[in-house]
Amino acid sequence: MAPTEPETFARAVAGLKAVTPRPEISLEEVAAPQRLAPYAYALMGTVLRDDEEYATGRLILLYDPAGHEAWAGTMRLVTYVTAELEPELAADPLLPAVGWTWLTDALEAEEATHTAAGGTVTQTMSSRFGDLAGPPPAADIEIRASWTPVGEDLGAHLRAWCALLSSTAGLPPPGVTALHDRRLTA
């Protein structure tokens, strides 16, 4: 018989499941890592526009009823988000700070109260040579972060994470049409 989930963890997962993301984002439950905490739940998110993938990410909820000193609490949200970028943008030395701000601003905008936030933003550029030569240089951004949510309702945290995915993918805020998407008529 499988062990019963603690009520606190079950409520946190229910809060995540209750969120409906914007139409460009698809969410699906995926296998969660089993060794990081006694209880875990994971979601995979993909940003699609015109059937093209713009960004992907994973959000993992960890729960340890005994608490964890490094988390400063019993729950921890861990994420990894990645997207391909234009090489010129990936070369910008301010990109890591901007990427981190996408997360912190999203958490603040959604009033997702948290503590102990930390992470890294990595920008990479790849040039192909030899038998792999041909395609133009490729560039990516990777955001790895974790934070401790305050409270059990994690809906605001998932909405903030979806906003991070959207920013990483270059989507305009909801309700705003990007200039390059406008259809001009005479």
Side-chain angles (χ1 to χ4, degrees):
M1 185 172 172
T4 305
E5 293 179 342
E7 236 180 86
T8 299
F9 179 72
R11 281 192 303 270
V13 170
L16 293 173
K17 289 181 176 182
V19 172
T20 301
R22 61 190 284 179
E24 301 92 340
I25 299 175
S26 67
L27 297 176
E28 71 177 275
E29 292 181 38
V30 294
Q34 299 299 306
R35 297 181 188 168
L36 300 176
Y39 301 92
Y41 175 79
L43 290 169
M44 172 71 88
T46 305
V47 178
L48 295 170
R49 286 179 27 190
D50 302 323
D51 294 325
E52 187 175 336
E53 188 176 285
Y54 278 76
T56 61
R58 189 173 217 193
L59 181 69
I60 303 166
L61 167 63
L62 303 174
Y63 177 66
D64 186 341
H68 197 289
E69 188 177 327
W71 300 352
T74 57
M75 282 191 244
R76 190 77 173 163
L77 288 166
V78 180
T79 188
Y80 170 77
V81 173
T82 185
E84 191 172 322
L85 300 172
E86 296 294 324
E88 300 80 30
L89 184 57
D92 187 335
L94 296 178
L95 181 62
V98 170
W100 184 251
T101 301
W102 291 336
L103 172 63
T104 58
D105 284 357
L107 289 167
E108 184 178 321
E110 291 296 336
E111 298 180 1
T113 308
H114 64 282
T115 62
T120 62
V121 178
T122 305
Q123 59 202 99
T124 59
M125 302 251 316
S126 300
S127 297
R128 295 172 174 89
F129 300 95
D131 289 345
L132 296 177
D140 296 292
I141 184 171
E142 296 176 353
I143 301 170
R144 297 175 189 264
S146 62
W147 63 95
T148 299
V150 175
E152 294 176 16
D153 182 5
L154 301 187
H157 294 271
L158 181 54
R159 287 189 299 277
W161 183 74
C162 286
L164 169 65
L165 264 177
S166 298
S167 295
T168 306
L171 294 181
V176 174
T177 301
L179 289 176
H180 68 276
D181 288 345
R182 277 198 169 155
R183 306 285 189 252
L184 299 177
T185 58

